[in-house]
Amino acid sequence: MGAPDPVSIPEMTGLLADRTGTLDTAVREALEARLRAIQASDRAQVAILIADGTQGQALADYSLRVAQAWKLGHAGRDDGLLILVVPTRTVARIEVGYGLEGAIPDVRAAQWIDELLPAMKNKQLAQGLNHLLDQVESALPAGQTSSKSAENI
């Protein structure tokens, strides 16, 4: 009759969390630098989680729980974006905060995921993530220069 045990969400230790060890150090550092630059531009806060699974939850449910737990985005703007990748299942999802839904509607995010999946299947996750970040950056609204970047990390 009680609620099921809550699924453990990995702690946010940075804008890129590779829980699978899929990316080598140089690639991981380059992606982290891109994510920090996006955050510093005050356009959004983007994070990537490379997970070994979703702990039995549906991909959409798990990605939403991670995005909420990590509190992505700038205060009052809800401009966070989570890229969740599960290489072992060749699945991925983009969770978009309400503040970015106009710039990145669900249909656009789904198209980007469709473009990422072949890279994952071909063991080219780094190239796929870089291409995905190119697309995300091109769609983000201009930064709000009147406020400071979130300093969650």
Side-chain angles (χ1 to χ4, degrees), residues 30-35 38 43 46-48 81 83 112 116 126-140:
L31 285 169
E32 286 173 346
R34 284 192 74 178
L35 296 170
I38 293 169
R43 298 171 69 200
V46 179
I48 299 172
L81 185 145
I83 300 167
W112 292 344
L116 175 65
Q127 296 91 326
L129 286 173
N130 271 303
H131 178 67
L132 177 56
L133 287 178
D134 289 343
Q135 294 169 308
V136 168
E137 285 185 275
S138 71
L140 290 175

Side-chain angles (χ1 to χ4, degrees), residues 60-76:
D61 294 340
Y62 186 73
S63 66
L64 180 60
R65 290 199 59 223
V66 171
Q68 290 172 336
W70 286 9
K71 297 178 176 32
L72 295 174
H74 298 93

Side-chain angles (χ1 to χ4, degrees), residues 1-151:
M1 194 153 125
D5 290 337
V7 174
S8 173
I9 300 297
E11 183 180 337
M12 183 180 189
T13 57
L15 294 175
L16 173 64
D18 181 1
R19 301 287 185 218
T20 64
T22 301
L23 304 176
D24 66 40
T25 302
V27 169
R28 198 169 47 250
E29 288 174 355
L31 285 169
E32 286 173 346
R34 284 192 74 178
L35 296 170
R36 284 191 305 272
I38 293 169
Q39 180 171 311
S41 75
D42 205 33
R43 298 171 69 200
Q45 185 182 36
V46 179
I48 299 172
L49 171 59
I50 304 172
D52 57 4
T54 59
Q55 301 189 21
Q57 285 195 316
L59 185 66
D61 294 340
Y62 186 73
S63 66
L64 180 60
R65 290 199 59 223
V66 171
Q68 290 172 336
W70 286 9
K71 297 178 176 32
L72 295 174
H74 298 93
R77 295 188 353 219
D78 197 11
D79 59 355
L81 185 145
L82 173 70
I83 300 167
L84 172 64
V85 178
V86 184
T88 56
R89 293 180 35 206
T90 316
V91 295
R93 180 169 172 83
I94 298 172
E95 200 65 50
V96 179
Y98 289 120
L100 292 177
E101 285 185 343
I104 304 174
D106 290 344
V107 68
R108 179 178 282 176
Q111 177 186 4
W112 292 344
I113 292 299
D114 288 345
E115 293 173 11
L116 175 65
L117 296 180
M120 291 175 63
K121 288 177 185 169
N122 293 324
K123 308 288 187 217
Q124 297 175 331
L125 181 58
Q127 296 91 326
L129 286 173
N130 271 303
H131 178 67
L132 177 56
L133 287 178
D134 289 343
Q135 294 169 308
V136 168
E137 285 185 275
S138 71
L140 290 175
Q144 296 185 12
T145 56
S146 63
S147 65
K148 289 193 167 204
S149 294
E151 304 210 2

